[in-house]
Amino acid sequence: GERFSRAAIALALTLVVTSVFSYAAITRNFAWKDDLSIWTASAVSQEGNYLAAHNIAVERVIAGEADSAIYDYRESIRMNMKRRFPDEKTLVLSNLYLGKIYADKGLQREAVARFKEAVRLKPDLPEPLFKLARALEASGDPTGAVIEYNRALGLPWRREDLKAIYRNLGRALAGLGMYEDSIVSLEEALKLDPDDADTARDLALAR
């Protein structure tokens, strides 16, 4: 009777919710496939279409296929560089995004090379410079990291990002045994976020 009716209603609601989420997932999947198909068709139909290759890579990363995106980013860069007048904006983004993939895979030397190219093309763009400094530090080059972190300080940043630069700079300086400079940098980071326990701990260690 009543217990059966409640169970039936609960089951019906579960099926409705499941159907809604399944439909959303399928819709997203088809949307991604449509975008990828469009750019793939464009790349096939137009020789040297660097922009299509770049966008194919972007779609692959969104789909969780970063390894496959490496080839497309590299192809986009190669084709773009062959143009009489390369598209600088896309070159910067292709190198930046490819560098991120390499960094995530632990391939720091490859990441450094891509971030350096992005910085060369657009030296006043904050993100590539910060990524370069982090990759240099991760690759075992704290001196190079300190140079790039200091360069980064001259660019406009959000408060949270500026804190991260000061903190990372402080750590890199400590790694070089430059504790006085490290303390100054970590204190600046703590001023930006007095409640950051990790920065406070780093500062205590540097002292």
Side-chain angles (χ1 to χ4, degrees), residues 10 12 30 34 51 54-56 61 70 81 95-96 122-123 142 199:
F30 273 114
D34 286 346
L51 191 57
H54 174 87
N55 284 312
I56 288 170
V61 171
I70 291 174
M81 290 296 293
N95 278 287
L96 175 61
K122 198 70 174 173
T199 301

Side-chain angles (χ1 to χ4, degrees), residues 84-206:
R84 184 178 178 185
F85 300 106
D87 176 355
E88 185 178 278
K89 181 180 178 181
T90 303
L91 269 179
V92 170
L93 292 176
S94 294
N95 278 287
L96 175 61
Y97 296 160
L98 181 54
K100 287 181 179 181
I101 294 175
Y102 283 141
D104 288 343
K105 291 173 65 65
L107 302 172
Q108 300 301 337
R109 289 184 180 179
E110 290 84 349
V112 166
R114 294 302 174 177
F115 293 142
K116 278 185 176 180
E117 181 62 9
V119 170
R120 183 188 70 80
L121 291 164
K122 198 70 174 173
D124 59 343
L125 193 63
E127 187 178 3
L129 195 53
F130 182 50
K131 296 291 185 183
L132 172 58
R134 291 187 64 182
L136 284 166
E137 190 173 4
S139 68
D141 183 5
T143 301
V146 166
I147 292 171
E148 301 305 336
Y149 282 133
N150 277 311
R151 284 179 63 193
L153 287 174
L155 298 177
W157 294 93
R158 296 178 305 171
R159 186 181 184 91
E160 182 66 23
D161 294 329
L162 188 59
K163 181 197 77 171
I165 293 172
Y166 274 120
R167 183 184 174 193
N168 288 2
L169 174 58
R171 286 176 166 181
L173 288 165
L176 291 169
M178 303 172 67
Y179 295 107
E180 290 185 7
D181 291 332
S182 172
I183 289 169
V184 170
S185 185
L186 291 169
E187 284 177 341
E188 289 296 325
L190 205 57
K191 286 179 186 176
L192 292 165
D193 185 1
D195 297 325
D196 188 337
D198 290 332
T199 301
R201 185 189 66 245
D202 291 338
L203 181 58
L205 290 173

